[in-house]
Each structure stands twice: as C-alpha cells, then as structure tokens.
Amino acid sequence: MVLALRYLSGACGRVRGGLPGGFAAAYRPAPGRPWPLCQGGRRASTRSFDVVIIGGGIVGLASARALILRHPALSIGVLEKEKDLAVHQTGRNSGVIHSGIYYKPESLKAKLCVQGAALIYEYCNQKGISYKQCGKLIVAVEQEEIPRLQALYERGQQNGVQGLRLIQQEDIKKKEPYCRGLMAIDCPYTGIVDYRQVALSFAQDFQEAGGVVMTSFEVKDIEMAKESPSGSKDGMKYPIVIRNPKGEEVQCQYVVTCAGLYSDRISELSGCNPDPQIVPFRGDYLLLKPEKCYLVKGNIYPVPDSRFPFLGVHFTPRMDGSIWLGPNAVLAFKREGYKPFDFSARDVMDVIIKSGLIKLVFQNFSYGVNEMYKACFLSATVKHLQKFIPEITTSDILRGPAGVRAQALDRDGNLVEDFVFDGGVGDTGNRILHVRNAPSPAATSSLAISGMIADEVQQRFKL
C-alpha cells in the first residue's frame, strides 16, 4: 500500500519575507531515516509513539505541529512513504492562498478557508516566508455570467471574505490592463505562496518541538498488537502496529491519517469504511512564455458554472515570476499519474468498480469530453484563454507541470464537496481518526484544519 498526501511576476503585488534559498535542500534526509531537523528530537531508533500521523503533506505536517505544540509531553511521529516531504499535492498545486468565496456558506470548506487564509498570512509573516498578496479577479466575459457572478459575490459576503467588491469594465482594466470583461469580483485578499516551503517549515517546527518525521516508510499494514515481546509492555501501552513492506514496525496508541490520494485505501486497511472512494483527477498546466508574463498581474479566474465540478482554466502568477495557465481536469489512470499515459490497472479497476465514476461521467459527459479535447489540443485551451486576454496566442504558451487531485466520490457519482473526517469501530477503528477528503483549498486551510484535528484528537482519544 502506498501513502501520500497530495496534493499539489514580480509585478504581481507585495512581497513579504523570505527563507534562504537552500531551505528545502537543508532539510532532505537520507532515505529511510528521520529528518535531522533539530537536536532535540527522539532517537532514530525509536519505534513507539503516543500518536502517529500517516502522510507527510501539508495537512499531515500542520496536524503534527498542532498536536505537539498542544501536547508537548506526548511522543508524536509522522510517517511518509516518499524520501522527501510534501512532494505530491502540496508541491504540485497552484500555490494560491484562497479567500473562501466559492464555498457553500456554513460549510467546513468556507469556515476553514477564511480562517486558514488569515492564519497562513500570519504564519508567513512570523517565519519570514515570502508571499505575494496579489489579489484575484473573477471575471464575467458574457452577459449570461453576470447573475452567477453577483450570486457568487453574495456568497462571499456570507462567508465573511474580506474586501470583496464588484467592479465594472474600467476598473477591470485598472487592475488587469490586458484583461477584457463585463464585470468582475475583485478579491484583494487572495495571494500566492510556495506551499511546499510552508510545509517544510511546519516540519521544522514539529521536530524542534521534539517530533519525529520518518520518510521512506510506506504503510503496508495496520493492526492491533497480537502479543508483547517477552518482558516488554509496549504491546499494552502501544497497541497499534504499523508495518512497511520491509517488515519494519512502528507501534503507537493512536493514529491520524492524512493520506490524500490513498485515504480510502488506508481507511480500509485499518478496518474502517472505504467510502467515500478517491478518484484521481489530473490537472495539466500551461506556461506563459517569460516575454509574455507582462500580460498578467494577479490571479484571473472565470465565473464558475455550478453545473460542472471544477473552477475552470485560470491565470495564476507564481512566486518565481512565471505564469501558470490552467489546470484542466481529466481522469488520471494512476493515482500518481502526472503524465497522460501513466497507467495502473489496480487504480483504474478501483475507480470503475468501487466508485460512482460511471454515473459522474454520464452526468457530466459534455464537460468531460471538452476537458479531454483541451488536454490534447493547445489551440482549444488558447481559445478559452483569449476570452479573457485576447493577445495570447498558441505561440505564447508552453506545456507545463501537472498535479493530481484526490477527489472523494460517493456511490451515486456525486463529488464530495466538503472536508470529511471520520473514525471507525472496534479496537483499531476507535483509535484512528481519518482525514477522508481534503481537496483544495486544503493547503490554504491547513492551519485551521490542524486546529480542528487537534481538537478532535483530544476529545476522541481523551489526551
């Protein structure tokens, strides 16, 4: 069983802080060994913990940090299957600090995103992590989109998003000189950041507080200890045994899983409910050539269509000054399938047999065909981009990176829109808390999610 939490121009706006350029390299461990981030952590040979977090992405690391800061006397470990941390969804997303405008009022997504954005900005300021609060325009380019735009504005107001305003064509031009549109929502609180850098900072905080991060530990089995070694009380004190394919074991009292694309399989592995199933969607980005980056200052998004499950192709500035265009949303034939022809027979069969994908396809057939067409033909994507910035041509763009989104899907083919957290029953299930669905904006919401997880762990496990 494989584990991971995925995730994924200088004129853009204000820049804050900055970590040394060698930050990521400085915190890369030798394969199979705990990350040597500080001198105060537990010994590398330690294999028993009070709490283990499975998954070394931004949600797992934020949760580990929150737990050890709240319970410094507990021994807490993080298990990550890769040799490095935060390399999937966390390291392959657009890097946007979302404001919280899109999500259903009173939903966990809405509440945690608004709280999380404020916490991310505060954390970056405290740690000297660079970010740009460059804002976002959600632009209506057709008359029929204006009612949806106005409804979205009202939703943002309900969610408590800061600084929202509806602007007309002349103000759109002031914000984005090359963008055309009839009306837009100006979201000045939206920003961008390198979320992998943020996640590595969480890891540093965690280990400085005494936590242990074990990389290259792929979880193969989770079960209750059958018996204690002669003369050992570990089996009674640490009743859960977690094994990797090499037969190495970690014992603990409680488990929190933040396994991203593998959250359903890890839940099933622990004897808990495998539903909702995870369906992987690949998002391919295009890159605007450097000489054309002047065309975009901040984030430019289309008005979302509630009939379809994703936000649509948008313009996203990056911390390095580049501009990403996209992503599309196509079914990935492998849970870590970042290339169009990556394929896993098991992953495909799971999607077809266990999830409600077939129903989803029939419900959104035209949308799916259109996304596949745009993935194959750059000209189709460019035609869509030209609705917003007519100056862009096919010769101005290059194919860029891709990410895979872990999307929970119910048996009826409905996308699970909100965050899902659950546990199980029985000896093992009662000692586990699963983060089952944490798609975008989970990176933005990570600090708020971690606080909620810490609360739930404390209440559920009586820490």
Side-chain angles (χ1 to χ4, degrees):
M1 182 65 61
V2 183
L3 271 197
L5 175 68
R6 315 242 163 218
Y7 267 139
L8 284 118
S9 73
C12 171
R14 291 179 290 165
V15 182
R16 301 293 181 87
L19 283 173
F23 181 88
Y27 298 110
R28 182 171 296 130
R33 300 193 59 186
W35 274 36
L37 296 188
C38 70
Q39 300 299 317
R42 292 160 60 87
R43 299 188 311 276
S45 61
T46 300
R47 296 287 175 172
S48 57
F49 302 94
D50 295 312
V51 181
V52 162
I53 290 86
I54 297 177
I58 195 167
V59 173
L61 294 170
S63 300
R65 173 183 176 273
L67 283 168
I68 204 164
L69 292 179
R70 189 176 297 190
H71 304 282
L74 295 182
S75 58
I76 301 177
V78 171
L79 306 181
E80 165 58 41
K81 80 175 180 71
E82 304 291 355
K83 66 178 182 179
D84 291 324
L85 297 173
V87 297
H88 291 294
Q89 283 188 149
T90 303
R92 288 177 171 267
N93 62 54
S94 63
V96 175
I97 302 173
H98 291 282
S99 62
I101 189 172
Y102 294 108
Y103 316 114
K104 184 178 179 181
E106 302 302 320
S107 66
L108 278 177
K109 269 193 176 182
K111 293 177 181 178
L112 295 176
C113 185
V114 172
Q115 294 170 13
L119 291 171
I120 282 288
Y121 282 130
E122 180 182 1
Y123 182 83
C124 289
N125 284 331
Q126 290 174 352
K127 297 292 182 176
I129 298 175
S130 297
Y131 66 86
K132 299 176 184 178
Q133 193 174 325
C134 51
K136 172 169 68 178
L137 293 183
I138 304 172
V139 183
V141 294
E142 306 289 348
Q143 196 69 37
E144 65 184 24
E145 295 176 332
I146 290 179
R148 299 206 310 269
L149 185 77
Q150 293 171 327
L152 185 63
Y153 172 78
E154 293 172 4
R155 172 171 284 195
Q157 297 282 71
Q158 287 180 272
N159 289 344
V161 178
Q162 296 183 27
L164 294 181
R165 62 189 186 112
L166 283 169
I167 61 175
Q168 306 298 322
Q169 293 182 50
E170 57 272 18
D171 288 322
I172 293 174
K173 288 293 184 183
K174 290 177 183 177
K175 299 279 290 186
E176 293 285 352
Y178 296 93
C179 180
R180 64 175 288 269
L182 303 176
M183 184 183 291
I185 300 174
D186 179 17
C187 308
Y189 201 59
T190 300
I192 56 173
V193 73
D194 182 343
Y195 278 119
R196 183 159 191 262
Q197 190 178 30
V198 174
L200 295 180
S201 184
F202 290 165
Q204 183 183 17
D205 294 344
F206 173 63
Q207 284 206 319
E208 285 179 348
V212 173
V213 177
M214 297 179 64
T215 55
S216 298
F217 194 103
E218 180 183 328
V219 173
K220 180 73 173 178
D221 190 25
I222 304 173
E223 66 178 10
M224 296 297 289
K226 292 181 173 61
E227 61 182 38
S228 301
S230 178
S232 170
K233 295 183 180 180
D234 280 358
M236 293 182 290
K237 185 176 181 182
Y238 305 108
I240 295 182
V241 179
I242 303 172
R243 294 188 184 89
N244 67 13
K246 299 176 183 178
E248 297 170 334
E249 295 183 354
V250 167
Q251 290 185 261
C252 61
Q253 294 191 63
Y254 305 105
V255 179
V256 177
T257 73
C258 303
L261 280 164
Y262 297 92
S263 61
D264 53 346
R265 291 182 181 173
I266 292 301
S267 180
E268 189 171 16
L269 192 66
S270 68
C272 298
N273 193 341
D275 293 322
Q277 289 286 317
I278 293 296
V279 176
F281 285 94
R282 192 183 75 251
D284 301 306
Y285 285 94
L286 302 176
L287 299 176
L288 199 57
K289 288 183 176 178
E291 61 269 24
K292 292 292 184 175
C293 286
Y294 69 88
L295 292 172
V296 179
K297 289 188 174 182
N299 295 281
I300 302 173
Y301 277 60
V303 180
D305 189 333
S306 60
R307 294 175 299 170
F308 304 124
F310 300 105
L311 293 178
V313 173
H314 42 269
F315 302 76
T316 303
R318 300 281 293 175
M319 290 300 297
D320 62 4
S322 62
I323 305 293
W324 285 14
L325 313 172
N328 57 8
V330 296
L331 179 67
F333 298 111
K334 185 179 180 181
R335 294 201 181 199
E336 296 173 353
Y338 299 114
K339 298 177 182 178
F341 298 106
D342 286 347
F343 181 85
S344 164
R346 180 188 178 186
D347 292 348
V348 171
M349 292 305 295
D350 277 356
V351 164
I352 294 173
I353 296 172
K354 295 183 179 181
S355 76
L357 177 70
I358 302 301
K359 293 180 180 179
L360 177 70
V361 169
F362 280 113
Q363 292 166 8
N364 299 277
F365 184 76
S366 62
Y367 178 88
V369 170
N370 186 49
E371 288 296 294
M372 291 294 292
Y373 183 77
K374 287 192 294 184
C376 296
F377 299 100
L378 289 181
S379 58
T381 302
V382 170
K383 185 177 180 180
H384 176 80
L385 295 170
Q386 287 173 335
K387 293 181 180 180
F388 301 88
I389 300 182
E391 286 83 355
I392 289 180
T393 65
T394 304
S395 62
D396 296 329
I397 62 176
L398 303 167
R399 290 199 179 274
V404 177
R405 169 176 173 150
Q407 177 62 57
L409 190 67
D410 69 20
R411 297 278 180 170
D412 294 323
N414 300 310
L415 297 179
V416 179
E417 297 291 347
D418 214 349
F419 297 128
V420 177
F421 308 89
D422 70 10
V425 296
D427 292 339
T428 306
N430 286 332
R431 290 178 173 270
I432 296 181
L433 174 64
H434 294 290
V435 179
R436 297 301 308 274
N437 187 47
S440 179
T444 299
S445 308
S446 56
L447 286 171
I449 292 173
S450 71
M452 189 182 74
I453 288 175
D455 289 342
E456 184 66 22
V457 167
Q458 184 170 334
Q459 179 178 354
R460 185 177 295 228
F461 303 145
K462 312 299 181 187
L463 297 183

